[in-house]
């Protein structure tokens, strides 16, 4: 039998009477009958899964008879179906306050606690159900679910300290299967997603929570963390500040805000020093900035690239290459770092590496500029695999015609086989090879057309020059046969004696 409180007018005042919820004698309206009608209508809508209408009618039943445990229990069930677990929890708790033996009320309170992530409180509710009905299979299963959630919480806590963020995400996904409305689990998952660089996923989780609760400091912190790690530092600071307004003692938001401001300041100071040409100071500032937060991958990638640019200006090309390599290790999509490193490779004649970087850039951004840079690197690579005639003659690429002739004269005399006729067979063979290469070099570099083709990386065979059939003695004879003090006497095929005048 259901009971309810009623205010009864008596002589000398009023008295609150506890009575069965049936027709009250006298002039008191028959509220319980009306409340039961509302409840039945609510049940009908609940069966049709029209939970909003069911909620409305259960509310009418409660308003009519506010001390009936089953009405609160039914409305709690409806609110749970609507995903409004906090409100459902209040109704479930009220139902068991009115009737501590109300099994369904305890079950629903436990389910609400579990859905909201309070597995300890949920366990107590399910244990109370088993005290009332030790064979209740639903309570037995839900108690196991609550225990499972507690286990995942403990594992996640340990793994977070170990920075095993992937495992934390796994644990939170499993826990959220039983606690779908737990903001705490969602926030922890979002934070770990951010730390793993999965920013869109992390932002989505944090934004969903903020739509429901715009003052949630943890969600504001995670939203700022995503922006911070995406190098949107100024916007990130705004979210951290907002989180600290909501929760002044939020340690993570405080630390992140401090790091964000320090990074922004150091980076800007480094940029200013660079623009002023103070490369030494810029290097120091970028280095200090890199020590602020090793977890900020994108910002640190830019700092490494900036420092690489400084090193290239200081002609510390190998250090510049190392900095750019660190940048692309942190962010393998960072085009600017690839371009900077490729240029350093070109400057240090590491053409294969330069081609590889320019190919990466062109695959990412197919612009005319990048295509030309790749083509230039490929030409230099092709040229580097041929004989370096400038190096053979010992002249630079801008040598004049006279400088080329003087260089040939010196090198040809140095390596002429007759000068080494008394050396070992091995030395003679090596000097003959060098003598031939000197002749090749002079043949190409002394002819403007061939030199131009050679400099552009084109195939010289197109000019009909077959170096395999090349006779360096002919060049030597032609060069030294004019008036000026040299005489030649053949001593056999390809050999000459000469004397200086």
């Amino acid at each position: 039998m259901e009971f309810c409180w009623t205010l009864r007018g008596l002589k000398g005042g009023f008295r609150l009477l506890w009575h069965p919820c049936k027709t009250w004698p006298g002039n008191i309206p028959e509220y319980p009958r009306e409340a039961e009608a509302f409840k039945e209508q609510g049940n009908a809508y609940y069966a049709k899964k029209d939970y909003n209408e069911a909620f409305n009618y259960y509310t009418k039943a409660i308003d009519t008879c506010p001390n009936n445990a089953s009405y609160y229990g039914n409305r709690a069930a409806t609110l749970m179906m609507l995903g409004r677990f906090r409100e459902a929890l209040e109704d479930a708790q009220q139902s068991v306050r009115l009737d501590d033996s109300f099994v369904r009320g305890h079950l629903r309170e436990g389910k609400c606690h579990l859905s909201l992530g309070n597995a300890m409180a949920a366990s107590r509710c399910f244990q109370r159900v088993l005290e009332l009905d030790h064979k209740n299979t639903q309570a037995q299963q839900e108690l196991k679910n609550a225990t499972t959630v507690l286990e995942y919480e403990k594992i996640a806590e340990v793994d977070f300290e170990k920075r095993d963020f992937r495992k934390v995400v796994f644990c939170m996904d499993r826990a959220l299967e039983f606690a779908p409305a737990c903001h705490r689990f969602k926030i922890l998952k979002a934070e770990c997603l951010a730390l793993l660089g999965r920013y869109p996923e992390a932002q989505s989780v944090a934004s969903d929570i903020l739509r429901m609760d715009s003052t949630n400091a943890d969600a504001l912190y995670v939203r700022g963390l995503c922006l911070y790690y995406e190098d949107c530092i100024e916007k990130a600071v705004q979210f951290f500040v907002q989180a600290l307004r909501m929760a002044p003692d939020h340690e993570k938001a405080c630390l992140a805000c401090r790091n964000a401001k320090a990074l922004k300041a150091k980076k800007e100071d480094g940029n200013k020093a660079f623009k002023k040409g103070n490369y030494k100071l810029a290097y120091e500032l970028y280095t200090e900035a890199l020590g602020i937060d090793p977890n900020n991958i994108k910002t640190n990638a830019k700092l490494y690239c900036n420092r690489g640019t400084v090193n290239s200006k200081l002609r510390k090309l190998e250090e510049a290459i190392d900095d750019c390599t660190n940048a692309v290790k942190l962010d393998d999509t960072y085009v600017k770092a690839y371009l900077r490193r490729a240029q350093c490779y070109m400057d240090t004649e590491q053409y294969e590496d330069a081609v590889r970087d320019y190919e990466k850039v062109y695959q990412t951004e197919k612009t005319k500029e990048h295509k030309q840079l790749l083509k230039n690197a490929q030409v230099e690579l092709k040229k580097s695999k041929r004989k370096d005639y400038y190096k053979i003659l010992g002249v630079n690429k801008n040598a004049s015609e006279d400088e080329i002739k003087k260089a040939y004269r010196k090198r040809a005399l140095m390596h002429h086989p007759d000068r080494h006729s008394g050396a070992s067979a091995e030395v003679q063979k090596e000097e003959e090879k060098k003598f031939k290469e000197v002749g090749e070099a002079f043949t190409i570099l002394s002819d403007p057309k061939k030199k131009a083709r050679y400099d552009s990386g084109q195939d010289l065979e197109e000019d009909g020059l077959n170096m395999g059939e090349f006779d360096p003695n002919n060049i030597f004879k032609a060069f030294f046969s004019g008036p000026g003090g040299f005489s030649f006497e053949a001593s056999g095929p390809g050999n000459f004696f000469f004397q200086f005048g």
Side-chain angles (χ1 to χ4, degrees), residues 428-452:
Q428 287 187 40
K429 185 176 180 180
E430 181 65 25
E431 292 300 325
E432 286 176 7
K433 178 184 175 183
K434 291 180 179 179
F435 180 66
K436 182 177 181 180
E437 288 178 342
V438 169
E440 288 179 13
F442 180 71
T443 300
I444 300 302
L445 300 183
S446 63
D447 184 317
K449 182 179 178 183
K450 292 186 176 77
K451 182 176 182 296

PDB file of all heavy atoms in Angstrom, residues 428-452:
ATOM      1  N   GLN A 428     103.202   4.226 -63.162  1.00  0.00           N
ATOM      2  CA  GLN A 428     103.090   4.618 -64.575  1.00  0.00           C
ATOM      3  C   GLN A 428     101.632   4.537 -65.050  1.00  0.00           C
ATOM      4  O   GLN A 428     101.150   5.434 -65.763  1.00  0.00           O
ATOM      5  CB  GLN A 428     103.964   3.705 -65.434  1.00  0.00           C
ATOM      6  CG  GLN A 428     105.454   3.977 -65.299  1.00  0.00           C
ATOM      7  CD  GLN A 428     106.271   3.173 -66.288  1.00  0.00           C
ATOM      8  OE1 GLN A 428     105.895   3.014 -67.445  1.00  0.00           O
ATOM      9  NE2 GLN A 428     107.408   2.650 -65.826  1.00  0.00           N
ATOM     10  N   LYS A 429     100.946   3.460 -64.641  1.00  0.00           N
ATOM     11  CA  LYS A 429      99.555   3.293 -65.056  1.00  0.00           C
ATOM     12  C   LYS A 429      98.679   4.408 -64.492  1.00  0.00           C
ATOM     13  O   LYS A 429      97.809   4.958 -65.192  1.00  0.00           O
ATOM     14  CB  LYS A 429      99.055   1.935 -64.564  1.00  0.00           C
ATOM     15  CG  LYS A 429      97.644   1.594 -65.042  1.00  0.00           C
ATOM     16  CD  LYS A 429      97.259   0.197 -64.588  1.00  0.00           C
ATOM     17  CE  LYS A 429      95.844  -0.139 -65.079  1.00  0.00           C
ATOM     18  NZ  LYS A 429      95.427  -1.499 -64.648  1.00  0.00           N
ATOM     19  N   GLU A 430      98.893   4.773 -63.228  1.00  0.00           N
ATOM     20  CA  GLU A 430      98.120   5.830 -62.592  1.00  0.00           C
ATOM     21  C   GLU A 430      98.371   7.179 -63.236  1.00  0.00           C
ATOM     22  O   GLU A 430      97.451   7.966 -63.474  1.00  0.00           O
ATOM     23  CB  GLU A 430      98.446   5.882 -61.095  1.00  0.00           C
ATOM     24  CG  GLU A 430      97.672   6.932 -60.306  1.00  0.00           C
ATOM     25  CD  GLU A 430      96.182   6.676 -60.268  1.00  0.00           C
ATOM     26  OE1 GLU A 430      95.766   5.498 -60.415  1.00  0.00           O
ATOM     27  OE2 GLU A 430      95.418   7.641 -60.082  1.00  0.00           O
ATOM     28  N   GLU A 431      99.660   7.454 -63.571  1.00  0.00           N
ATOM     29  CA  GLU A 431      99.996   8.738 -64.205  1.00  0.00           C
ATOM     30  C   GLU A 431      99.459   8.828 -65.618  1.00  0.00           C
ATOM     31  O   GLU A 431      99.038   9.888 -66.076  1.00  0.00           O
ATOM     32  CB  GLU A 431     101.517   8.934 -64.196  1.00  0.00           C
ATOM     33  CG  GLU A 431     102.118   9.142 -62.818  1.00  0.00           C
ATOM     34  CD  GLU A 431     101.556  10.367 -62.112  1.00  0.00           C
ATOM     35  OE1 GLU A 431     101.259  11.378 -62.800  1.00  0.00           O
ATOM     36  OE2 GLU A 431     101.390  10.332 -60.882  1.00  0.00           O
ATOM     37  N   GLU A 432      99.460   7.700 -66.333  1.00  0.00           N
ATOM     38  CA  GLU A 432      98.864   7.681 -67.680  1.00  0.00           C
ATOM     39  C   GLU A 432      97.371   8.016 -67.612  1.00  0.00           C
ATOM     40  O   GLU A 432      96.837   8.745 -68.463  1.00  0.00           O
ATOM     41  CB  GLU A 432      99.061   6.311 -68.318  1.00  0.00           C
ATOM     42  CG  GLU A 432     100.483   6.048 -68.788  1.00  0.00           C
ATOM     43  CD  GLU A 432     100.663   4.634 -69.339  1.00  0.00           C
ATOM     44  OE1 GLU A 432      99.631   3.929 -69.461  1.00  0.00           O
ATOM     45  OE2 GLU A 432     101.794   4.247 -69.620  1.00  0.00           O
ATOM     46  N   LYS A 433      96.695   7.453 -66.574  1.00  0.00           N
ATOM     47  CA  LYS A 433      95.265   7.721 -66.398  1.00  0.00           C
ATOM     48  C   LYS A 433      95.025   9.202 -66.134  1.00  0.00           C
ATOM     49  O   LYS A 433      94.138   9.832 -66.733  1.00  0.00           O
ATOM     50  CB  LYS A 433      94.733   6.885 -65.229  1.00  0.00           C
ATOM     51  CG  LYS A 433      93.260   7.113 -64.912  1.00  0.00           C
ATOM     52  CD  LYS A 433      92.837   6.326 -63.675  1.00  0.00           C
ATOM     53  CE  LYS A 433      91.400   6.652 -63.290  1.00  0.00           C
ATOM     54  NZ  LYS A 433      90.994   5.943 -62.052  1.00  0.00           N
ATOM     55  N   LYS A 434      95.839   9.781 -65.263  1.00  0.00           N
ATOM     56  CA  LYS A 434      95.686  11.210 -64.945  1.00  0.00           C
ATOM     57  C   LYS A 434      96.005  12.083 -66.144  1.00  0.00           C
ATOM     58  O   LYS A 434      95.362  13.109 -66.377  1.00  0.00           O
ATOM     59  CB  LYS A 434      96.582  11.577 -63.768  1.00  0.00           C
ATOM     60  CG  LYS A 434      96.124  10.966 -62.442  1.00  0.00           C
ATOM     61  CD  LYS A 434      97.054  11.355 -61.297  1.00  0.00           C
ATOM     62  CE  LYS A 434      96.581  10.763 -59.977  1.00  0.00           C
ATOM     63  NZ  LYS A 434      97.490  11.104 -58.864  1.00  0.00           N
ATOM     64  N   PHE A 435      97.023  11.685 -66.931  1.00  0.00           N
ATOM     65  CA  PHE A 435      97.393  12.439 -68.133  1.00  0.00           C
ATOM     66  C   PHE A 435      96.228  12.466 -69.119  1.00  0.00           C
ATOM     67  O   PHE A 435      95.916  13.497 -69.724  1.00  0.00           O
ATOM     68  CB  PHE A 435      98.634  11.798 -68.774  1.00  0.00           C
ATOM     69  CG  PHE A 435      99.091  12.488 -70.018  1.00  0.00           C
ATOM     70  CD1 PHE A 435      99.591  13.787 -69.976  1.00  0.00           C
ATOM     71  CD2 PHE A 435      99.032  11.845 -71.245  1.00  0.00           C
ATOM     72  CE1 PHE A 435     100.026  14.426 -71.129  1.00  0.00           C
ATOM     73  CE2 PHE A 435      99.459  12.481 -72.399  1.00  0.00           C
ATOM     74  CZ  PHE A 435      99.966  13.779 -72.342  1.00  0.00           C
ATOM     75  N   LYS A 436      95.582  11.309 -69.252  1.00  0.00           N
ATOM     76  CA  LYS A 436      94.437  11.237 -70.158  1.00  0.00           C
ATOM     77  C   LYS A 436      93.296  12.120 -69.656  1.00  0.00           C
ATOM     78  O   LYS A 436      92.637  12.822 -70.435  1.00  0.00           O
ATOM     79  CB  LYS A 436      93.968   9.792 -70.270  1.00  0.00           C
ATOM     80  CG  LYS A 436      92.803   9.605 -71.247  1.00  0.00           C
ATOM     81  CD  LYS A 436      92.422   8.149 -71.379  1.00  0.00           C
ATOM     82  CE  LYS A 436      91.270   8.001 -72.373  1.00  0.00           C
ATOM     83  NZ  LYS A 436      90.860   6.595 -72.541  1.00  0.00           N
ATOM     84  N   GLU A 437      93.029  12.087 -68.334  1.00  0.00           N
ATOM     85  CA  GLU A 437      91.945  12.892 -67.767  1.00  0.00           C
ATOM     86  C   GLU A 437      92.203  14.382 -67.939  1.00  0.00           C
ATOM     87  O   GLU A 437      91.279  15.160 -68.215  1.00  0.00           O
ATOM     88  CB  GLU A 437      91.776  12.562 -66.280  1.00  0.00           C
ATOM     89  CG  GLU A 437      91.163  11.195 -66.026  1.00  0.00           C
ATOM     90  CD  GLU A 437      91.064  10.872 -64.547  1.00  0.00           C
ATOM     91  OE1 GLU A 437      91.765  11.532 -63.743  1.00  0.00           O
ATOM     92  OE2 GLU A 437      90.291   9.964 -64.189  1.00  0.00           O
ATOM     93  N   VAL A 438      93.487  14.786 -67.810  1.00  0.00           N
ATOM     94  CA  VAL A 438      93.837  16.193 -68.018  1.00  0.00           C
ATOM     95  C   VAL A 438      93.532  16.609 -69.457  1.00  0.00           C
ATOM     96  O   VAL A 438      93.007  17.702 -69.714  1.00  0.00           O
ATOM     97  CB  VAL A 438      95.324  16.435 -67.675  1.00  0.00           C
ATOM     98  CG1 VAL A 438      95.768  17.820 -68.148  1.00  0.00           C
ATOM     99  CG2 VAL A 438      95.554  16.303 -66.173  1.00  0.00           C
ATOM    100  N   GLY A 439      93.842  15.706 -70.395  1.00  0.00           N
ATOM    101  CA  GLY A 439      93.542  15.992 -71.802  1.00  0.00           C
ATOM    102  C   GLY A 439      92.058  16.100 -72.045  1.00  0.00           C
ATOM    103  O   GLY A 439      91.592  16.987 -72.781  1.00  0.00           O
ATOM    104  N   GLU A 440      91.292  15.187 -71.441  1.00  0.00           N
ATOM    105  CA  GLU A 440      89.831  15.240 -71.571  1.00  0.00           C
ATOM    106  C   GLU A 440      89.305  16.565 -71.043  1.00  0.00           C
ATOM    107  O   GLU A 440      88.469  17.219 -71.673  1.00  0.00           O
ATOM    108  CB  GLU A 440      89.198  14.090 -70.780  1.00  0.00           C
ATOM    109  CG  GLU A 440      89.378  12.719 -71.371  1.00  0.00           C
ATOM    110  CD  GLU A 440      88.730  11.662 -70.498  1.00  0.00           C
ATOM    111  OE1 GLU A 440      87.943  12.035 -69.597  1.00  0.00           O
ATOM    112  OE2 GLU A 440      89.012  10.474 -70.693  1.00  0.00           O
ATOM    113  N   ALA A 441      89.773  16.925 -69.871  1.00  0.00           N
ATOM    114  CA  ALA A 441      89.296  18.148 -69.230  1.00  0.00           C
ATOM    115  C   ALA A 441      89.561  19.359 -70.106  1.00  0.00           C
ATOM    116  O   ALA A 441      88.688  20.218 -70.291  1.00  0.00           O
ATOM    117  CB  ALA A 441      89.964  18.319 -67.862  1.00  0.00           C
ATOM    118  N   PHE A 442      90.786  19.422 -70.666  1.00  0.00           N
ATOM    119  CA  PHE A 442      91.126  20.568 -71.505  1.00  0.00           C
ATOM    120  C   PHE A 442      90.288  20.587 -72.778  1.00  0.00           C
ATOM    121  O   PHE A 442      89.830  21.647 -73.226  1.00  0.00           O
ATOM    122  CB  PHE A 442      92.620  20.537 -71.853  1.00  0.00           C
ATOM    123  CG  PHE A 442      93.037  21.692 -72.712  1.00  0.00           C
ATOM    124  CD1 PHE A 442      93.097  22.980 -72.207  1.00  0.00           C
ATOM    125  CD2 PHE A 442      93.352  21.501 -74.067  1.00  0.00           C
ATOM    126  CE1 PHE A 442      93.468  24.048 -73.008  1.00  0.00           C
ATOM    127  CE2 PHE A 442      93.724  22.560 -74.869  1.00  0.00           C
ATOM    128  CZ  PHE A 442      93.781  23.845 -74.333  1.00  0.00           C
ATOM    129  N   THR A 443      90.073  19.396 -73.358  1.00  0.00           N
ATOM    130  CA  THR A 443      89.267  19.306 -74.582  1.00  0.00           C
ATOM    131  C   THR A 443      87.869  19.863 -74.359  1.00  0.00           C
ATOM    132  O   THR A 443      87.329  20.585 -75.209  1.00  0.00           O
ATOM    133  CB  THR A 443      89.173  17.844 -75.044  1.00  0.00           C
ATOM    134  OG1 THR A 443      90.486  17.364 -75.312  1.00  0.00           O
ATOM    135  CG2 THR A 443      88.316  17.709 -76.288  1.00  0.00           C
ATOM    136  N   ILE A 444      87.286  19.542 -73.232  1.00  0.00           N
ATOM    137  CA  ILE A 444      85.923  19.995 -72.952  1.00  0.00           C
ATOM    138  C   ILE A 444      85.884  21.467 -72.552  1.00  0.00           C
ATOM    139  O   ILE A 444      85.112  22.260 -73.102  1.00  0.00           O
ATOM    140  CB  ILE A 444      85.291  19.138 -71.835  1.00  0.00           C
ATOM    141  CG1 ILE A 444      85.231  17.665 -72.242  1.00  0.00           C
ATOM    142  CG2 ILE A 444      83.898  19.647 -71.468  1.00  0.00           C
ATOM    143  CD1 ILE A 444      84.460  17.408 -73.515  1.00  0.00           C
ATOM    144  N   LEU A 445      86.735  21.842 -71.600  1.00  0.00           N
ATOM    145  CA  LEU A 445      86.640  23.189 -71.032  1.00  0.00           C
ATOM    146  C   LEU A 445      87.214  24.276 -71.936  1.00  0.00           C
ATOM    147  O   LEU A 445      86.916  25.458 -71.740  1.00  0.00           O
ATOM    148  CB  LEU A 445      87.336  23.225 -69.670  1.00  0.00           C
ATOM    149  CG  LEU A 445      86.763  22.271 -68.605  1.00  0.00           C
ATOM    150  CD1 LEU A 445      87.490  22.459 -67.279  1.00  0.00           C
ATOM    151  CD2 LEU A 445      85.256  22.486 -68.413  1.00  0.00           C
ATOM    152  N   SER A 446      88.013  23.897 -72.916  1.00  0.00           N
ATOM    153  CA  SER A 446      88.568  24.905 -73.836  1.00  0.00           C
ATOM    154  C   SER A 446      87.643  25.160 -75.019  1.00  0.00           C
ATOM    155  O   SER A 446      87.860  26.082 -75.799  1.00  0.00           O
ATOM    156  CB  SER A 446      89.940  24.454 -74.345  1.00  0.00           C
ATOM    157  OG  SER A 446      89.825  23.252 -75.099  1.00  0.00           O
ATOM    158  N   ASP A 447      86.585  24.351 -75.137  1.00  0.00           N
ATOM    159  CA  ASP A 447      85.614  24.514 -76.226  1.00  0.00           C
ATOM    160  C   ASP A 447      84.334  25.097 -75.617  1.00  0.00           C
ATOM    161  O   ASP A 447      83.662  24.441 -74.827  1.00  0.00           O
ATOM    162  CB  ASP A 447      85.325  23.152 -76.864  1.00  0.00           C
ATOM    163  CG  ASP A 447      84.394  23.262 -78.059  1.00  0.00           C
ATOM    164  OD1 ASP A 447      83.397  24.014 -77.983  1.00  0.00           O
ATOM    165  OD2 ASP A 447      84.659  22.589 -79.069  1.00  0.00           O
ATOM    166  N   PRO A 448      83.991  26.345 -75.938  1.00  0.00           N
ATOM    167  CA  PRO A 448      82.832  27.002 -75.324  1.00  0.00           C
ATOM    168  C   PRO A 448      81.537  26.193 -75.417  1.00  0.00           C
ATOM    169  O   PRO A 448      80.757  26.136 -74.464  1.00  0.00           O
ATOM    170  CB  PRO A 448      82.716  28.321 -76.093  1.00  0.00           C
ATOM    171  CG  PRO A 448      84.111  28.580 -76.562  1.00  0.00           C
ATOM    172  CD  PRO A 448      84.702  27.238 -76.882  1.00  0.00           C
ATOM    173  N   LYS A 449      81.308  25.562 -76.574  1.00  0.00           N
ATOM    174  CA  LYS A 449      80.072  24.817 -76.763  1.00  0.00           C
ATOM    175  C   LYS A 449      80.055  23.582 -75.858  1.00  0.00           C
ATOM    176  O   LYS A 449      79.070  23.313 -75.163  1.00  0.00           O
ATOM    177  CB  LYS A 449      79.937  24.396 -78.216  1.00  0.00           C
ATOM    178  CG  LYS A 449      78.641  23.651 -78.514  1.00  0.00           C
ATOM    179  CD  LYS A 449      78.560  23.278 -79.993  1.00  0.00           C
ATOM    180  CE  LYS A 449      77.275  22.483 -80.270  1.00  0.00           C
ATOM    181  NZ  LYS A 449      77.211  22.060 -81.686  1.00  0.00           N
ATOM    182  N   LYS A 450      81.183  22.826 -75.887  1.00  0.00           N
ATOM    183  CA  LYS A 450      81.257  21.630 -75.040  1.00  0.00           C
ATOM    184  C   LYS A 450      81.215  22.012 -73.554  1.00  0.00           C
ATOM    185  O   LYS A 450      80.605  21.322 -72.733  1.00  0.00           O
ATOM    186  CB  LYS A 450      82.538  20.852 -75.335  1.00  0.00           C
ATOM    187  CG  LYS A 450      82.595  20.204 -76.717  1.00  0.00           C
ATOM    188  CD  LYS A 450      83.831  19.347 -76.833  1.00  0.00           C
ATOM    189  CE  LYS A 450      83.875  18.607 -78.172  1.00  0.00           C
ATOM    190  NZ  LYS A 450      84.276  19.464 -79.280  1.00  0.00           N
ATOM    191  N   LYS A 451      81.880  23.102 -73.203  1.00  0.00           N
ATOM    192  CA  LYS A 451      81.898  23.551 -71.815  1.00  0.00           C
ATOM    193  C   LYS A 451      80.478  23.884 -71.340  1.00  0.00           C
ATOM    194  O   LYS A 451      80.075  23.537 -70.222  1.00  0.00           O
ATOM    195  CB  LYS A 451      82.790  24.774 -71.667  1.00  0.00           C
ATOM    196  CG  LYS A 451      82.920  25.315 -70.232  1.00  0.00           C
ATOM    197  CD  LYS A 451      83.912  26.472 -70.195  1.00  0.00           C
ATOM    198  CE  LYS A 451      84.106  26.999 -68.770  1.00  0.00           C
ATOM    199  NZ  LYS A 451      82.877  27.570 -68.212  1.00  0.00           N
ATOM    200  N   ALA A 452      79.715  24.569 -72.215  1.00  0.00           N
ATOM    201  CA  ALA A 452      78.345  24.936 -71.858  1.00  0.00           C
ATOM    202  C   ALA A 452      77.487  23.698 -71.651  1.00  0.00           C
ATOM    203  O   ALA A 452      76.688  23.627 -70.708  1.00  0.00           O
ATOM    204  CB  ALA A 452      77.742  25.827 -72.936  1.00  0.00           C
TER     205      ALA A 452
END
